[in-house]
Amino acid sequence: MTESGTLVPYDEAISRYEPVIGLETHVELGTTTKMFCGSPAAFGADPNASVCPVCLGLPGSLPVINRTAIEYTIKIGLALNCSIASWCRFARKNYFYPDMPKNFQISQYDEPLCTDGWLDVTVGDSQVRIGIERVHLEEDTGKSLHVGGATGRIHGADYSLVDYNRAGIPLVEVVTKPVPGTGALAPVVARAYVTELRDLLRALGVSDVRMEEGSLRCDVNTSLARRGSATWGTRTETKNVNSLRSVERAVRFEIERQAGVLDAGGRVVQETRHFQEESGTTTPGRSKEEAQDYRYFPEPDLVPLAPSREWVEELRASLPELPVARRARLQKEWGLSDLDMTAMRNAGALDLVAETVAAGAGPAEARNWWLGELSRRANESGVELAALPVTPAQVARVVALVASGELNDRLARQVLDGVLAGEGSPDDVVAARGLAVVSDDAALLAAVDQAIAAHADVADKVRSGKTAAAGALVGAVMRETGGRADAARAHELILQRLAPS
Ligand SMILES: [Zn+2]
């Protein structure tokens, strides 16, 4: 095994080597039952509560294909511009592992349901077309929990537990063709692809695509070729990368590491690697140099799968508006530039703004709140925008309160403080914190008179016709009322009070 070499700084690595990336994405489908049995497929049940003789592989049990899973997979294939097989079969992939109760996995091998498509992703102002090799369907495995060791791995553990709830959940694998020619952008392209794929799957409604819960997980392949060389390098496969940011970091790290190995005259080992979230590095896993023999053969307990042309066309007609079309439509409706739109996507604000607009806010106001104040709060607390404890409907309510004059911008920010602190709805916070704008003349006049008394020099200027000086008095009124005064009304009252007699 060749693990020699030190990391090469990224720019230097890219100046000498051309990366080729590839992505294999596993998607747990959001069907109500499992792939080949009627056990519930929901996340979060007690261990081994969602199982039956079929997904436990008990003798004599027989699988039956879940029609909805096939439907979802065809939809994914169509949305990815793939050809849909008119006839294909499931295969048995034979291997022994404790979290696989049957000792084989039903998968698709040389006859995938969907092949040869593409997905366009936007990086900066350029578009990269990612070729899709195949989309196939299989069943997920169970989950092992190793107890007692320091690392959570099997080595050093006192004992292991197995949860078969996930065994048999329909799992789609989307495999890209190798993507060469992205140069220094390779890590960003990898991330943009997974982001676009996630948005697409979410729009199709086929999965909840939660990377943190493992319903979307990604294996990232990276290889390096010396610049000018026609031969691609040996690739490594970094397994189960579970956030968008990690996808980018994993590719970047592998480029720096492999460049170091090659610079030192070493050889990149073909292997699976694990991404380490804390350090941003990858560590070696299983070597793939000796290919495993899974002894694939057509699954004898299942009939071949032959979706009719009519069914496929019916599914094509039922596809929802896809993210790329939706973005183009929203951009036009909202009158935004490409740059604005990119900023909104990068901030993860597109859906939030769309929902806020749907809840009644104007697009400009919705965008300002999410990209301004709320993005700042999200950064401060180090969370994704969507993870802030405020809903689009609540933001729309704040926008409405500002539009009606009940809040000014400053008060609106305080209302959001309250909502984010868990004090309830915007109206609750306004009531509890007494944040409504004071536009009642009686209350305002007291503050106006106090401001005039405290700034007699300014008041004299206004009296003598220099009405622009009234601004300073409005400022004093605002301070007096803790920022709650209706500034426009206060201005009117000041001018009335100081009108030349
Ligand atoms: Zn079952």
Side-chain angles (χ1 to χ4, degrees), residues 469-497:
L473 295 174
V474 175
V477 171
M478 295 307 282
R479 280 193 296 280
E480 189 63 37
T481 56
R484 291 171 52 226
D486 177 338
R489 184 63 192 148
H491 189 243
E492 284 170 12
L493 291 174
I494 289 165
L495 292 184
Q496 277 175 25
R497 273 288 205 252

PDB file of all heavy atoms in Angstrom, residues 469-497:
ATOM      1  N   ALA A 469     -34.331  71.067   9.161  1.00  0.00           N
ATOM      2  CA  ALA A 469     -33.737  70.805  10.470  1.00  0.00           C
ATOM      3  C   ALA A 469     -34.639  69.931  11.351  1.00  0.00           C
ATOM      4  O   ALA A 469     -34.195  69.389  12.369  1.00  0.00           O
ATOM      5  CB  ALA A 469     -33.447  72.126  11.180  1.00  0.00           C
ATOM      6  N   ALA A 470     -35.908  69.762  10.949  1.00  0.00           N
ATOM      7  CA  ALA A 470     -36.851  68.971  11.741  1.00  0.00           C
ATOM      8  C   ALA A 470     -36.389  67.523  11.891  1.00  0.00           C
ATOM      9  O   ALA A 470     -36.776  66.838  12.846  1.00  0.00           O
ATOM     10  CB  ALA A 470     -38.239  69.025  11.119  1.00  0.00           C
ATOM     11  N   GLY A 471     -35.550  67.083  10.955  1.00  0.00           N
ATOM     12  CA  GLY A 471     -35.053  65.701  11.015  1.00  0.00           C
ATOM     13  C   GLY A 471     -34.386  65.392  12.346  1.00  0.00           C
ATOM     14  O   GLY A 471     -34.569  64.305  12.916  1.00  0.00           O
ATOM     15  N   ALA A 472     -33.625  66.344  12.859  1.00  0.00           N
ATOM     16  CA  ALA A 472     -32.933  66.122  14.128  1.00  0.00           C
ATOM     17  C   ALA A 472     -33.943  65.922  15.255  1.00  0.00           C
ATOM     18  O   ALA A 472     -33.723  65.116  16.174  1.00  0.00           O
ATOM     19  CB  ALA A 472     -32.021  67.302  14.440  1.00  0.00           C
ATOM     20  N   LEU A 473     -35.061  66.642  15.169  1.00  0.00           N
ATOM     21  CA  LEU A 473     -36.089  66.501  16.209  1.00  0.00           C
ATOM     22  C   LEU A 473     -36.794  65.142  16.102  1.00  0.00           C
ATOM     23  O   LEU A 473     -37.127  64.527  17.121  1.00  0.00           O
ATOM     24  CB  LEU A 473     -37.100  67.648  16.101  1.00  0.00           C
ATOM     25  CG  LEU A 473     -36.495  69.039  16.395  1.00  0.00           C
ATOM     26  CD1 LEU A 473     -37.508  70.137  16.120  1.00  0.00           C
ATOM     27  CD2 LEU A 473     -36.015  69.114  17.847  1.00  0.00           C
ATOM     28  N   VAL A 474     -37.011  64.691  14.845  1.00  0.00           N
ATOM     29  CA  VAL A 474     -37.605  63.357  14.663  1.00  0.00           C
ATOM     30  C   VAL A 474     -36.699  62.306  15.317  1.00  0.00           C
ATOM     31  O   VAL A 474     -37.162  61.415  16.036  1.00  0.00           O
ATOM     32  CB  VAL A 474     -37.822  63.031  13.166  1.00  0.00           C
ATOM     33  CG1 VAL A 474     -38.322  61.606  13.003  1.00  0.00           C
ATOM     34  CG2 VAL A 474     -38.806  64.018  12.539  1.00  0.00           C
ATOM     35  N   GLY A 475     -35.388  62.489  15.116  1.00  0.00           N
ATOM     36  CA  GLY A 475     -34.423  61.577  15.733  1.00  0.00           C
ATOM     37  C   GLY A 475     -34.571  61.568  17.238  1.00  0.00           C
ATOM     38  O   GLY A 475     -34.547  60.499  17.870  1.00  0.00           O
ATOM     39  N   ALA A 476     -34.749  62.752  17.807  1.00  0.00           N
ATOM     40  CA  ALA A 476     -34.904  62.843  19.262  1.00  0.00           C
ATOM     41  C   ALA A 476     -36.182  62.134  19.722  1.00  0.00           C
ATOM     42  O   ALA A 476     -36.189  61.452  20.757  1.00  0.00           O
ATOM     43  CB  ALA A 476     -34.922  64.308  19.688  1.00  0.00           C
ATOM     44  N   VAL A 477     -37.253  62.285  18.923  1.00  0.00           N
ATOM     45  CA  VAL A 477     -38.517  61.614  19.266  1.00  0.00           C
ATOM     46  C   VAL A 477     -38.326  60.094  19.222  1.00  0.00           C
ATOM     47  O   VAL A 477     -38.800  59.355  20.095  1.00  0.00           O
ATOM     48  CB  VAL A 477     -39.649  62.054  18.308  1.00  0.00           C
ATOM     49  CG1 VAL A 477     -40.894  61.201  18.507  1.00  0.00           C
ATOM     50  CG2 VAL A 477     -39.963  63.534  18.505  1.00  0.00           C
ATOM     51  N   MET A 478     -37.589  59.637  18.203  1.00  0.00           N
ATOM     52  CA  MET A 478     -37.357  58.190  18.084  1.00  0.00           C
ATOM     53  C   MET A 478     -36.608  57.673  19.309  1.00  0.00           C
ATOM     54  O   MET A 478     -36.946  56.618  19.862  1.00  0.00           O
ATOM     55  CB  MET A 478     -36.545  57.863  16.816  1.00  0.00           C
ATOM     56  CG  MET A 478     -37.247  58.167  15.492  1.00  0.00           C
ATOM     57  SD  MET A 478     -38.888  57.445  15.317  1.00  0.00           S
ATOM     58  CE  MET A 478     -38.479  55.760  14.918  1.00  0.00           C
ATOM     59  N   ARG A 479     -35.605  58.431  19.723  1.00  0.00           N
ATOM     60  CA  ARG A 479     -34.836  57.990  20.906  1.00  0.00           C
ATOM     61  C   ARG A 479     -35.734  57.951  22.131  1.00  0.00           C
ATOM     62  O   ARG A 479     -35.713  57.019  22.916  1.00  0.00           O
ATOM     63  CB  ARG A 479     -33.668  58.950  21.153  1.00  0.00           C
ATOM     64  CG  ARG A 479     -32.473  58.685  20.239  1.00  0.00           C
ATOM     65  CD  ARG A 479     -31.226  59.423  20.712  1.00  0.00           C
ATOM     66  NE  ARG A 479     -31.373  60.864  20.658  1.00  0.00           N
ATOM     67  CZ  ARG A 479     -31.247  61.587  19.536  1.00  0.00           C
ATOM     68  NH1 ARG A 479     -30.992  60.976  18.380  1.00  0.00           N
ATOM     69  NH2 ARG A 479     -31.375  62.894  19.559  1.00  0.00           N
ATOM     70  N   GLU A 480     -36.533  59.024  22.246  1.00  0.00           N
ATOM     71  CA  GLU A 480     -37.450  59.166  23.385  1.00  0.00           C
ATOM     72  C   GLU A 480     -38.397  57.971  23.497  1.00  0.00           C
ATOM     73  O   GLU A 480     -38.692  57.495  24.585  1.00  0.00           O
ATOM     74  CB  GLU A 480     -38.255  60.451  23.170  1.00  0.00           C
ATOM     75  CG  GLU A 480     -39.096  60.891  24.340  1.00  0.00           C
ATOM     76  CD  GLU A 480     -38.212  61.227  25.539  1.00  0.00           C
ATOM     77  OE1 GLU A 480     -37.096  61.785  25.345  1.00  0.00           O
ATOM     78  OE2 GLU A 480     -38.617  60.906  26.651  1.00  0.00           O
ATOM     79  N   THR A 481     -38.836  57.443  22.317  1.00  0.00           N
ATOM     80  CA  THR A 481     -39.849  56.377  22.329  1.00  0.00           C
ATOM     81  C   THR A 481     -39.222  54.993  22.119  1.00  0.00           C
ATOM     82  O   THR A 481     -39.922  54.029  21.825  1.00  0.00           O
ATOM     83  CB  THR A 481     -40.875  56.603  21.201  1.00  0.00           C
ATOM     84  OG1 THR A 481     -40.148  56.689  19.963  1.00  0.00           O
ATOM     85  CG2 THR A 481     -41.658  57.875  21.414  1.00  0.00           C
ATOM     86  N   GLY A 482     -37.929  54.903  22.257  1.00  0.00           N
ATOM     87  CA  GLY A 482     -37.278  53.597  22.071  1.00  0.00           C
ATOM     88  C   GLY A 482     -37.451  53.089  20.651  1.00  0.00           C
ATOM     89  O   GLY A 482     -37.556  51.885  20.422  1.00  0.00           O
ATOM     90  N   GLY A 483     -37.492  54.029  19.686  1.00  0.00           N
ATOM     91  CA  GLY A 483     -37.572  53.634  18.283  1.00  0.00           C
ATOM     92  C   GLY A 483     -38.970  53.240  17.849  1.00  0.00           C
ATOM     93  O   GLY A 483     -39.164  52.755  16.740  1.00  0.00           O
ATOM     94  N   ARG A 484     -39.970  53.442  18.722  1.00  0.00           N
ATOM     95  CA  ARG A 484     -41.311  52.956  18.390  1.00  0.00           C
ATOM     96  C   ARG A 484     -42.196  54.001  17.721  1.00  0.00           C
ATOM     97  O   ARG A 484     -43.308  53.699  17.318  1.00  0.00           O
ATOM     98  CB  ARG A 484     -41.985  52.405  19.645  1.00  0.00           C
ATOM     99  CG  ARG A 484     -41.332  51.108  20.131  1.00  0.00           C
ATOM    100  CD  ARG A 484     -41.879  50.698  21.483  1.00  0.00           C
ATOM    101  NE  ARG A 484     -43.331  50.660  21.465  1.00  0.00           N
ATOM    102  CZ  ARG A 484     -44.105  51.180  22.416  1.00  0.00           C
ATOM    103  NH1 ARG A 484     -43.578  51.778  23.456  1.00  0.00           N
ATOM    104  NH2 ARG A 484     -45.407  51.088  22.328  1.00  0.00           N
ATOM    105  N   ALA A 485     -41.739  55.249  17.638  1.00  0.00           N
ATOM    106  CA  ALA A 485     -42.598  56.297  17.076  1.00  0.00           C
ATOM    107  C   ALA A 485     -42.824  56.108  15.585  1.00  0.00           C
ATOM    108  O   ALA A 485     -41.946  55.639  14.875  1.00  0.00           O
ATOM    109  CB  ALA A 485     -41.967  57.666  17.329  1.00  0.00           C
ATOM    110  N   ASP A 486     -44.011  56.467  15.130  1.00  0.00           N
ATOM    111  CA  ASP A 486     -44.295  56.548  13.706  1.00  0.00           C
ATOM    112  C   ASP A 486     -43.573  57.802  13.213  1.00  0.00           C
ATOM    113  O   ASP A 486     -44.019  58.929  13.463  1.00  0.00           O
ATOM    114  CB  ASP A 486     -45.814  56.655  13.511  1.00  0.00           C
ATOM    115  CG  ASP A 486     -46.207  56.822  12.056  1.00  0.00           C
ATOM    116  OD1 ASP A 486     -45.361  57.260  11.239  1.00  0.00           O
ATOM    117  OD2 ASP A 486     -47.369  56.517  11.734  1.00  0.00           O
ATOM    118  N   ALA A 487     -42.456  57.596  12.532  1.00  0.00           N
ATOM    119  CA  ALA A 487     -41.569  58.715  12.205  1.00  0.00           C
ATOM    120  C   ALA A 487     -42.268  59.750  11.317  1.00  0.00           C
ATOM    121  O   ALA A 487     -42.105  60.966  11.516  1.00  0.00           O
ATOM    122  CB  ALA A 487     -40.305  58.185  11.525  1.00  0.00           C
ATOM    123  N   ALA A 488     -43.074  59.301  10.367  1.00  0.00           N
ATOM    124  CA  ALA A 488     -43.723  60.228   9.438  1.00  0.00           C
ATOM    125  C   ALA A 488     -44.716  61.124  10.199  1.00  0.00           C
ATOM    126  O   ALA A 488     -44.773  62.337   9.996  1.00  0.00           O
ATOM    127  CB  ALA A 488     -44.439  59.444   8.341  1.00  0.00           C
ATOM    128  N   ARG A 489     -45.475  60.495  11.101  1.00  0.00           N
ATOM    129  CA  ARG A 489     -46.460  61.256  11.880  1.00  0.00           C
ATOM    130  C   ARG A 489     -45.742  62.212  12.850  1.00  0.00           C
ATOM    131  O   ARG A 489     -46.170  63.365  13.030  1.00  0.00           O
ATOM    132  CB  ARG A 489     -47.370  60.276  12.654  1.00  0.00           C
ATOM    133  CG  ARG A 489     -48.505  60.933  13.433  1.00  0.00           C
ATOM    134  CD  ARG A 489     -49.478  61.669  12.502  1.00  0.00           C
ATOM    135  NE  ARG A 489     -50.396  62.513  13.258  1.00  0.00           N
ATOM    136  CZ  ARG A 489     -50.897  63.668  12.802  1.00  0.00           C
ATOM    137  NH1 ARG A 489     -50.580  64.089  11.585  1.00  0.00           N
ATOM    138  NH2 ARG A 489     -51.731  64.387  13.531  1.00  0.00           N
ATOM    139  N   ALA A 490     -44.644  61.759  13.444  1.00  0.00           N
ATOM    140  CA  ALA A 490     -43.889  62.620  14.353  1.00  0.00           C
ATOM    141  C   ALA A 490     -43.389  63.850  13.601  1.00  0.00           C
ATOM    142  O   ALA A 490     -43.466  64.977  14.105  1.00  0.00           O
ATOM    143  CB  ALA A 490     -42.714  61.850  14.948  1.00  0.00           C
ATOM    144  N   HIS A 491     -42.936  63.651  12.377  1.00  0.00           N
ATOM    145  CA  HIS A 491     -42.453  64.747  11.540  1.00  0.00           C
ATOM    146  C   HIS A 491     -43.566  65.763  11.296  1.00  0.00           C
ATOM    147  O   HIS A 491     -43.372  66.976  11.467  1.00  0.00           O
ATOM    148  CB  HIS A 491     -41.912  64.175  10.221  1.00  0.00           C
ATOM    149  CG  HIS A 491     -41.192  65.175   9.373  1.00  0.00           C
ATOM    150  ND1 HIS A 491     -41.640  65.537   8.127  1.00  0.00           N
ATOM    151  CD2 HIS A 491     -40.067  65.904   9.601  1.00  0.00           C
ATOM    152  CE1 HIS A 491     -40.820  66.443   7.612  1.00  0.00           C
ATOM    153  NE2 HIS A 491     -39.852  66.684   8.492  1.00  0.00           N
ATOM    154  N   GLU A 492     -44.747  65.275  10.957  1.00  0.00           N
ATOM    155  CA  GLU A 492     -45.894  66.161  10.728  1.00  0.00           C
ATOM    156  C   GLU A 492     -46.208  66.967  11.978  1.00  0.00           C
ATOM    157  O   GLU A 492     -46.444  68.187  11.933  1.00  0.00           O
ATOM    158  CB  GLU A 492     -47.147  65.343  10.358  1.00  0.00           C
ATOM    159  CG  GLU A 492     -47.148  64.826   8.926  1.00  0.00           C
ATOM    160  CD  GLU A 492     -48.292  63.819   8.687  1.00  0.00           C
ATOM    161  OE1 GLU A 492     -49.196  63.719   9.576  1.00  0.00           O
ATOM    162  OE2 GLU A 492     -48.261  63.148   7.661  1.00  0.00           O
ATOM    163  N   LEU A 493     -46.212  66.264  13.116  1.00  0.00           N
ATOM    164  CA  LEU A 493     -46.567  66.937  14.377  1.00  0.00           C
ATOM    165  C   LEU A 493     -45.530  68.002  14.733  1.00  0.00           C
ATOM    166  O   LEU A 493     -45.883  69.077  15.225  1.00  0.00           O
ATOM    167  CB  LEU A 493     -46.689  65.910  15.511  1.00  0.00           C
ATOM    168  CG  LEU A 493     -47.891  64.957  15.395  1.00  0.00           C
ATOM    169  CD1 LEU A 493     -47.845  63.894  16.483  1.00  0.00           C
ATOM    170  CD2 LEU A 493     -49.211  65.737  15.469  1.00  0.00           C
ATOM    171  N   ILE A 494     -44.263  67.726  14.482  1.00  0.00           N
ATOM    172  CA  ILE A 494     -43.215  68.712  14.773  1.00  0.00           C
ATOM    173  C   ILE A 494     -43.429  69.965  13.922  1.00  0.00           C
ATOM    174  O   ILE A 494     -43.380  71.095  14.430  1.00  0.00           O
ATOM    175  CB  ILE A 494     -41.815  68.090  14.500  1.00  0.00           C
ATOM    176  CG1 ILE A 494     -41.495  67.050  15.561  1.00  0.00           C
ATOM    177  CG2 ILE A 494     -40.735  69.176  14.470  1.00  0.00           C
ATOM    178  CD1 ILE A 494     -40.339  66.121  15.212  1.00  0.00           C
ATOM    179  N   LEU A 495     -43.718  69.738  12.632  1.00  0.00           N
ATOM    180  CA  LEU A 495     -43.918  70.894  11.750  1.00  0.00           C
ATOM    181  C   LEU A 495     -45.150  71.702  12.176  1.00  0.00           C
ATOM    182  O   LEU A 495     -45.153  72.927  12.141  1.00  0.00           O
ATOM    183  CB  LEU A 495     -44.026  70.453  10.293  1.00  0.00           C
ATOM    184  CG  LEU A 495     -42.732  69.895   9.683  1.00  0.00           C
ATOM    185  CD1 LEU A 495     -42.917  69.573   8.187  1.00  0.00           C
ATOM    186  CD2 LEU A 495     -41.556  70.857   9.863  1.00  0.00           C
ATOM    187  N   GLN A 496     -46.212  70.980  12.589  1.00  0.00           N
ATOM    188  CA  GLN A 496     -47.418  71.690  13.079  1.00  0.00           C
ATOM    189  C   GLN A 496     -47.084  72.540  14.296  1.00  0.00           C
ATOM    190  O   GLN A 496     -47.454  73.702  14.407  1.00  0.00           O
ATOM    191  CB  GLN A 496     -48.505  70.686  13.477  1.00  0.00           C
ATOM    192  CG  GLN A 496     -49.346  70.200  12.299  1.00  0.00           C
ATOM    193  CD  GLN A 496     -50.324  69.107  12.723  1.00  0.00           C
ATOM    194  OE1 GLN A 496     -50.693  69.048  13.908  1.00  0.00           O
ATOM    195  NE2 GLN A 496     -50.739  68.289  11.794  1.00  0.00           N
ATOM    196  N   ARG A 497     -46.392  71.918  15.248  1.00  0.00           N
ATOM    197  CA  ARG A 497     -46.051  72.598  16.500  1.00  0.00           C
ATOM    198  C   ARG A 497     -45.198  73.843  16.262  1.00  0.00           C
ATOM    199  O   ARG A 497     -45.323  74.847  16.950  1.00  0.00           O
ATOM    200  CB  ARG A 497     -45.247  71.659  17.413  1.00  0.00           C
ATOM    201  CG  ARG A 497     -46.108  70.768  18.288  1.00  0.00           C
ATOM    202  CD  ARG A 497     -46.775  71.588  19.394  1.00  0.00           C
ATOM    203  NE  ARG A 497     -47.116  70.804  20.554  1.00  0.00           N
ATOM    204  CZ  ARG A 497     -48.363  70.464  20.896  1.00  0.00           C
ATOM    205  NH1 ARG A 497     -49.379  70.822  20.156  1.00  0.00           N
ATOM    206  NH2 ARG A 497     -48.586  69.749  21.987  1.00  0.00           N
TER     207      ARG A 497
END
